[in-house]
Amino acid sequence: VAVYPLSMLPDLPAHASLREPPPRRDAFVLDAHLGKLARLLRLLGFDALYRNDYEDREVANIGVEQQRIDQFAQATGDHQWIHVDPVRAASGPFGKTIAHGFLTLSLVPEMFATAFDIGDVHMGVNYGLNKVRFTNPVPSGSRVRGHFVLKAYEPIEGGAQLAVEVRVELEGSAKPACVAETLSRRFI
């Protein structure tokens, strides 16, 4: 069985098309035991998100929505108008509310969980950050994804410490929203 997006079909004469061509953005949301397929799609450069516990309504709302921003403001006490007041933010520098930088950073573990398959690990802990830069605001309603590069692997007692560079990419922008180097420890 071959599975690929319509945009990768060979060019056909215009009269052969039954509908307008889809936009070039190839993205997949996978569930129900398709984790291996998600990893393979990511290796081929496709935007693929996998979790086997998504409900249908969650699949439709993946992104940085205003509700998520408001919940983060409630949890952290950061109620600055640029984040939580859509009316005032509409006349602000970004034309709408934007996500907190630390909200953007807090999405990294969720993205990391779908980016790597590290076998035989019974526990992982965040160990810290070497550096973090918030290089582009994330407007409410945006979609982000993580691009991860393993920079260092260090054996430690009972497991390993990983240094991973992450670029939080903002849909429709060449400039990332956040660039960070994370440290985590994985124990076997």
Side-chain angles (χ1 to χ4, degrees):
V1 174
V3 179
Y4 45 89
L6 290 175
S7 59
M8 295 200 56
L9 287 173
D11 290 331
L12 299 173
H15 66 277
S17 178
L18 299 177
R19 62 181 173 176
E20 291 184 28
R24 180 63 185 131
R25 174 152 165 52
D26 302 319
F28 301 87
V29 177
L30 304 155
D31 64 0
H33 310 295
L34 295 174
K36 287 183 181 180
L37 176 59
R39 282 191 300 280
L40 292 172
L41 288 170
R42 280 194 300 272
L43 287 172
L44 292 171
F46 293 105
D47 183 2
L49 177 63
Y50 166 75
R51 262 187 30 208
N52 64 2
D53 60 343
Y54 274 127
E55 294 182 22
D56 290 342
R57 63 180 168 72
E58 286 181 291
V59 171
N61 294 314
I62 296 168
V64 184
E65 302 297 331
Q66 187 62 49
Q67 180 181 3
R68 183 176 239 172
I69 294 170
D70 293 341
Q71 290 171 338
F72 190 84
Q74 191 65 35
T76 62
D78 183 352
H79 298 280
Q80 189 177 149
W81 63 268
I82 198 135
H83 304 303
V84 298
D85 187 344
V87 174
R88 186 172 177 193
S91 61
F94 305 107
K96 65 188 320 186
T97 57
I98 61 170
H100 306 72
F102 285 109
L103 168 56
T104 303
L105 185 62
S106 75
L107 300 174
V108 168
E110 180 179 358
M111 292 184 281
F112 187 92
T114 65
F116 287 93
D117 182 25
I118 305 173
D120 297 329
V121 171
H122 79 273
M123 181 179 69
V125 295
N126 293 321
Y127 192 64
L129 301 159
N130 284 337
K131 60 182 173 181
V132 177
R133 297 292 182 266
F134 302 112
T135 54
N136 201 3
V138 177
S140 61
S142 297
R143 288 175 38 100
V144 295
R145 69 177 181 184
H147 182 269
F148 299 87
V149 176
L150 179 64
K151 300 303 263 185
Y153 171 92
E154 178 185 338
I156 59 172
E157 186 176 336
Q161 179 170 295
L162 308 177
V164 176
E165 179 185 88
V166 59
R167 240 182 20 251
V168 179
E169 298 173 344
L170 179 61
E171 184 176 52
S173 175
K175 187 176 181 181
C178 176
V179 178
E181 186 173 287
T182 66
L183 298 175
S184 64
R185 291 189 165 186
R186 306 295 163 159
F187 297 94
I188 53 175

